Amino acid sequence: MSGMPANRTSIRFKIRRQDAPGSPPYWQEFAIPYAPDHNVISALMVVQNNPVTTDGQRVAPVVWDRNCMEEVCGSCAMLINGVPRPSCSALIDSLTQPIVLEPLPKFPVVRDLLVDRSRIDEGLRKVRAWIEIDGAWDTHEGAPRISPSEWSANYLYSRCMSCGCCLSACPQFGPHSDFIGPAALAQVRLMNAHPTGRYDQADRLHAIMGDGGVSDCGNAQNCVRVCPKSIPLTTAIGELGRQTTVQAVKDLFGG
């Protein structure tokens, strides 16, 4: 929502900073001359070139992460005015000032707005979120056929960029819990739908059937509200609930 006057002359930031992992956080405020079409990242780059606070103190440049600047890599996600989102697609003209920037919650802070998101990778490894292509496959068959409707449904989940926004908004995910989170669960749904990935479906389902798995979801639905790619995360979790039930029956009767 825009809360700025038409005759604005500056862009003001209030940034939560932290010098090192485990050190106490503190706040600093910055202001730069207004220019149209800034996003948060481009405005932060201006701050970086001249890191002087609004009270005239020269400080160390603000640290954050970025890469593609096209809302594809997910590395620049942070808390912007209390909402987890990629900062490259957060346009200054649509944000209420002062723009409050904080590191993504639920992840260990490395420095300032840079967090350690290795727990995302750990979750993806746990659920085998990949397709095995090495092995003795029958090369005399044609390529697997996927219907257009199935391809469209699968494509939605392939858009995940591991930004961590859904995990930051999830009340079940965090240092207090082993819950693997909606991002990894959605990839289980995607890989299990793949013609080759289906061969490892049982292994993925077993990985999410215990503690920290799909049953730990509290159905808060915060994840779908903040996902920048509009991935139907709760739909995936619902489908996985049914898949794990079927798998449990198969395990019980040796199917």
Side-chain angles (χ1 to χ4, degrees):
M1 294 178 60
S2 175
M4 323 252 255
N7 61 344
R8 76 197 80 174
T9 60
S10 65
I11 300 171
R12 294 174 292 127
F13 288 104
K14 182 178 180 181
I15 303 177
R16 185 180 185 217
R17 306 199 62 179
Q18 187 170 325
D19 295 334
S23 65
Y26 58 94
W27 293 89
Q28 288 181 337
E29 297 190 27
F30 301 86
I32 64 173
Y34 173 78
D37 303 324
H38 264 306
N39 60 20
V40 168
I41 288 295
S42 63
L44 277 176
M45 292 171 72
V46 177
V47 173
Q48 187 180 51
N49 289 334
N50 186 33
V52 177
T53 64
T54 52
D55 59 6
Q57 179 185 8
R58 179 166 288 276
V59 296
V62 179
V63 175
W64 74 95
D65 199 4
R66 70 182 188 275
N67 190 13
C68 72
M69 295 289 284
E70 296 178 326
E71 202 183 71
V72 173
C73 71
S75 64
C76 69
M78 61 183 69
L79 211 61
I80 302 174
N81 287 350
V83 179
R85 59 185 298 189
S87 49
C88 64
S89 56
L91 301 180
I92 294 297
D93 290 340
S94 67
L95 298 172
T96 301
Q97 294 195 31
I99 301 168
V100 181
L101 303 181
E102 302 172 75
L104 278 182
K106 312 294 181 70
F107 298 98
V109 175
V110 177
R111 183 173 178 181
D112 294 340
L113 304 174
L114 177 64
V115 298
D116 178 1
R117 284 180 283 192
S118 59
R119 188 171 169 186
I120 299 177
D121 298 327
E122 293 169 4
L124 295 175
R125 284 193 293 268
K126 179 179 179 180
V127 301
R128 300 171 60 89
W130 58 81
I131 304 299
E132 298 283 359
I133 58 174
D134 293 329
W137 305 107
D138 188 347
T139 58
H140 299 288
E141 295 183 4
R145 293 178 179 267
I146 302 177
S147 70
S149 60
E150 186 179 4
W151 182 93
S152 296
N154 293 344
Y155 174 71
L156 296 175
Y157 298 101
S158 72
R159 288 160 51 86
C160 178
M161 53 188 180
S162 297
C163 63
C165 290
C166 63
L167 303 175
S168 296
C170 175
Q172 273 71 47
F173 180 86
H176 63 286
S177 168
D178 293 329
F179 181 44
I180 198 170
L185 291 175
Q187 293 309 295
V188 172
R189 186 263 177 234
L190 173 64
M191 300 303 159
N192 284 357
H194 189 279
T196 303
R198 288 171 183 155
Y199 290 111
D200 296 316
Q201 174 172 307
D203 291 337
R204 295 193 191 94
L205 293 178
H206 285 145
I208 64 170
M209 288 169 66
D211 292 341
V214 65
S215 62
D216 283 11
C217 172
N219 198 32
Q221 303 190 34
N222 292 353
C223 53
V224 292
R225 296 187 182 100
V226 301
C227 178
K229 295 300 184 182
S230 301
I231 298 171
L233 297 165
T234 51
T235 300
I237 293 171
E239 292 182 18
L240 291 176
R242 293 188 290 273
Q243 289 183 21
T244 52
T245 299
V246 172
Q247 185 63 48
V249 172
K250 289 180 178 180
D251 294 343
L252 181 63
F253 292 101

